[in-house]
């Protein structure tokens, strides 16, 4: 593939350079030259799919392709390029079982049934409730009760939901470990195993799950877990004010779950074996640590560091591209119109001219919008939280979703065991 590096002004006049950054698949970063429009006319849409206009209209009526009015002619309809690409991929896979199975592991067709989280038409819903609306006032504990399907029960009020404090020397020793490893080292020592034994009714597991959530928050801040609301606990540990605490609350709610992402899938695989809830969370933490997933926040931090040192956003972006490097934290495959978690959180942060310039340049030259990773790092820097707090927020919030997936998978009572397509001799 030939890569052209051209200035932003030239991009705006010509084909434009579009950076494709896959949030959970860093090895798929690439720079491609393509038309930036999000919609295309009927003749082109039909040609892309190799179908007649009548079939195209049938796809629209079935909700497979979204349309929009044309700015030039209100009587003319335009068709979603994102939906066209998705249908092309599905058509290429066809109905051959091996191809379907292989495609399912790469942002492909759904492979598991779940009633926890829905991502559709650019929206994020927790058990049917808009996550963005919930973030206006709900706490992480509220979302936990919702995702764990607790009904009227409140596992956070149960005495079993209060973790046993760690010996202080142990906590001090673990302080120097990387965040996910620190959580993995301290989590088994909360002494909540008696309420997290797996072969129990979910209602018996909720208090242990609540204790583990508090324990993860304590481990992420290298402090003893407490019973106060998680966002208030974090605000105290990170020494921020009431406004900062509310931003932390919003971020936690928005990150609580994200359907069948890599760490959630890892949790479900472990849960399907009958392993303990602690083992399931351990799997989620392991998956989260990689730079293709939660570790993406560290790459965004490095980008912001470079922008701060340079003071010239456009030059930094141009030089990174010239070196063949990616711009982390922009474009999410599930959100062609922008990650709603970032859209919801970023406007509530204190103004930052450099951040705004970065977002504007990426949008103008690439048509790429920020992901939640950019939003979390921006929050961390705006509130002057400790380095690594973005990943901490991710891990604490996502613990709620991991528990929900583990409990749901337990009820399914089936071992997740896919087959491999052997390619050797």
């Amino acid at each position: 593939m030939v890569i052209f590096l051209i200035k932003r002004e030239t991009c705006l006049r010509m084909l434009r350079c579009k950076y494709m950054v896959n949030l959970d698949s860093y090895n798929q970063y690439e720079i491609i030259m393509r038309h930036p429009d999000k919609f295309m006319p009927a003749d082109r849409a039909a040609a892309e799919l190799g179908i007649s206009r009548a079939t195209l209209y049938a796809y629209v009526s079935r909700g497979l392709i979204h349309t929009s009015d044309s700015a030039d002619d209100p009587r003319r309809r335009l068709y979603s390029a994102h939906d066209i690409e998705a249908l092309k991929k599905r058509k290429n896979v066809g109905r051959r079982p091996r191809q379907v199975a292989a495609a399912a592991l790469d942002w492909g067709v759904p492979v598991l049934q779940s009633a926890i989280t829905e991502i559709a038409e650019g929206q994020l819903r927790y058990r049917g409730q808009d996550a963005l609306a919930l973030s206006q006032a709900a706490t992480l504990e509220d979302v936990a009760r919702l995702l764990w399907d607790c009904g009227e029960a409140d596992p956070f009020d149960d005495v079993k939901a209060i973790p046993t404090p760690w010996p202080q020397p142990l906590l001090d020793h673990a302080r120097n470990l990387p965040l996910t490893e620190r959580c993995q080292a301290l989590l088994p020592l909360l002494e909540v195993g008696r309420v997290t034994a797996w072969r129990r009714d979910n209602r018996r597991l909720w208090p242990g799950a609540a204790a583990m959530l508090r324990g993860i928050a304590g481990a992420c801040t290298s402090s003893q877990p407490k019973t106060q609301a998680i966002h208030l606990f974090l605000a105290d540990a990170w020494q921020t004010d009431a406004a900062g605490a509310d931003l932390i609350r919003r971020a936690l709610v928005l990150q609580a779950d994200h359907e069948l992402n890599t760490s959630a899938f890892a949790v479900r695989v472990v849960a399907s074996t009958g392993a303990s809830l602690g083992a399931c969370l351990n799997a989620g933490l392991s998956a989260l640590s990689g730079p293709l997933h939660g570790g993406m926040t560290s790459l965004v931090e490095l980008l912001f560091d470079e922008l701060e040192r340079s003071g010239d956003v456009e030059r930094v972006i141009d030089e990174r591209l010239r070196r063949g490097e990616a711009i982390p934290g922009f474009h999410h495959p599930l959100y062609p119109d922008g990650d709603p978690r970032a859209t919801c959180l970023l406007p509530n942060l204190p103004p930052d001219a450099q951040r705004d310039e970065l977002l504007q340049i990426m949008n103008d030259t690439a048509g790429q919008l920020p992901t939640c990773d950019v939003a979390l790092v921006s929050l961390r820097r705006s509130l002057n939280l400790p380095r690594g707090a973005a990943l901490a927020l991710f891990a604490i919030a996502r613990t709620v979703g991991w528990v929900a997936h583990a409990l749901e998978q337990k009820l399914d009572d089936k071992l997740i065991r896919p087959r491999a397509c052997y390619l050797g001799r």
Side-chain angles (χ1 to χ4, degrees):
M1 177 175 64
V2 179
I3 298 177
F4 297 95
L5 296 178
I6 51 183
K7 294 292 289 182
R8 177 163 63 102
E9 292 78 5
T10 308
C11 290
L12 289 171
R13 293 194 304 268
M14 300 173 59
L15 296 175
R16 289 188 178 181
C17 179
K18 185 171 185 180
Y19 318 116
M20 185 174 183
V21 180
N22 183 330
L23 178 67
D24 292 316
S25 299
Y26 186 69
N27 61 313
Q28 294 180 10
Y29 285 164
E30 59 181 339
I31 306 169
I32 61 176
M33 298 298 296
R34 60 185 300 179
H35 197 282
D37 293 347
K38 295 180 180 179
F39 290 87
M40 61 180 70
D43 55 350
R44 181 182 164 195
E48 288 277 346
L49 291 170
I51 58 176
S52 66
R53 285 203 180 197
T55 303
L56 177 68
Y57 303 148
Y59 283 172
V60 172
S61 67
R62 289 161 56 191
L64 298 176
I65 301 176
H66 293 85
T67 64
S68 173
D69 293 330
S70 171
D72 300 330
D73 184 356
R75 297 170 299 177
R76 184 182 179 218
R77 303 298 296 172
L78 298 177
Y79 301 82
S80 168
H82 178 264
D83 293 345
I84 298 295
E85 287 296 322
L87 282 172
K88 283 175 63 178
K89 183 176 181 180
R90 192 180 307 173
K91 185 177 180 181
N92 289 335
V93 169
R95 295 182 180 277
R96 286 167 287 187
R98 287 189 179 182
Q99 289 183 317
V100 171
L105 297 179
D106 182 25
W107 305 92
V109 295
V111 296
L112 288 172
Q113 293 183 332
S114 177
I116 298 170
T117 297
E118 179 188 20
I119 301 172
E121 299 179 352
Q123 293 184 306
L124 175 65
R125 301 182 183 90
Y126 299 151
R127 292 199 183 275
Q129 297 191 35
D130 188 336
L132 274 63
L134 286 171
S135 73
Q136 301 305 309
T139 65
L140 184 61
E141 289 85 350
D142 293 332
V143 175
R145 297 180 192 100
L146 173 65
L147 292 183
W148 300 350
D149 200 19
C150 295
E152 298 298 321
D154 188 354
F156 293 92
D157 281 346
D158 195 304
V159 66
K160 296 177 182 178
I162 302 174
T164 304
W166 293 296
Q168 193 58 43
L170 175 65
L171 187 60
D172 294 339
H173 180 73
R175 192 184 307 273
N176 295 324
L177 292 173
L179 186 139
T180 52
E181 285 88 339
R182 190 190 319 146
C183 292
Q184 290 172 317
L186 293 173
L187 193 61
L189 304 176
L190 286 175
E191 297 184 10
V192 294
R194 63 186 183 281
V195 292
T196 55
W198 201 234
R199 292 297 174 183
R200 293 171 180 248
D201 184 274
N202 279 357
R203 291 172 292 184
R204 301 285 297 278
L205 295 171
W206 291 335
M212 287 188 167
L213 174 60
R214 287 169 169 161
I216 290 290
C220 284
T221 57
S222 296
S223 55
Q224 298 290 358
K226 297 181 181 178
T227 58
Q228 66 188 126
I230 299 292
H231 69 282
L232 297 178
F233 168 72
L234 294 175
D236 287 347
W238 290 333
Q239 299 181 343
T240 191
D241 58 14
D246 192 62
L247 287 172
I248 290 171
R249 179 195 59 75
R250 287 174 180 266
L252 291 171
V253 170
L254 292 169
Q255 288 295 124
D257 191 59
H258 204 233
E259 197 219 55
L260 201 60
N261 57 79
T262 308
S263 56
F265 186 64
V267 165
R268 294 190 76 120
V269 170
V270 174
S272 76
T273 71
S276 71
L277 187 55
C280 295
L281 297 186
N282 192 9
L285 287 164
S286 295
L288 186 72
S289 66
L292 314 189
H293 193 10
M296 178 66 70
T297 54
S298 64
L299 301 180
V300 176
E301 285 276 14
L302 293 175
L303 172 63
F304 275 67
D305 289 343
E306 189 175 356
L307 295 177
E308 195 172 72
R309 289 193 304 269
S310 169
D312 188 337
V313 176
E314 185 172 1
R315 184 175 64 81
V316 168
I317 297 301
D318 285 345
E319 289 182 352
R320 274 183 168 241
L321 293 174
R322 193 171 293 113
R323 295 193 300 265
E325 298 178 9
I327 311 300
F330 287 85
H331 176 72
H332 194 296
L334 297 180
Y335 300 117
D337 296 320
D339 188 335
R341 298 167 297 178
T343 303
C344 183
L345 187 57
L346 285 171
N348 290 287
L349 300 182
D352 185 303
Q354 193 170 70
R355 180 184 70 229
D356 292 343
E357 185 180 1
L358 170 65
L359 301 186
Q360 190 65 52
I361 287 176
M362 289 301 297
N363 190 24
D364 286 347
T365 64
Q368 298 294 304
L369 299 172
T371 66
C372 63
D373 301 280
V374 170
L376 289 175
V377 173
S378 296
L379 182 150
R380 202 257 340 146
R381 298 174 81 96
S382 294
L383 299 182
N384 197 30
L385 304 180
R387 191 90 173 185
L391 179 58
L393 289 169
F394 208 147
I396 296 164
R398 199 54 61 86
T399 298
V400 168
W402 293 337
V403 170
H405 282 281
L407 296 178
E408 187 177 66
Q409 187 63 43
K410 180 178 78 73
L411 294 177
D412 190 47
D413 199 25
K414 292 179 182 177
L415 179 68
I416 297 177
R417 206 295 192 184
R419 295 295 307 279
C421 181
Y422 181 66
L423 299 177
R425 294 181 179 180

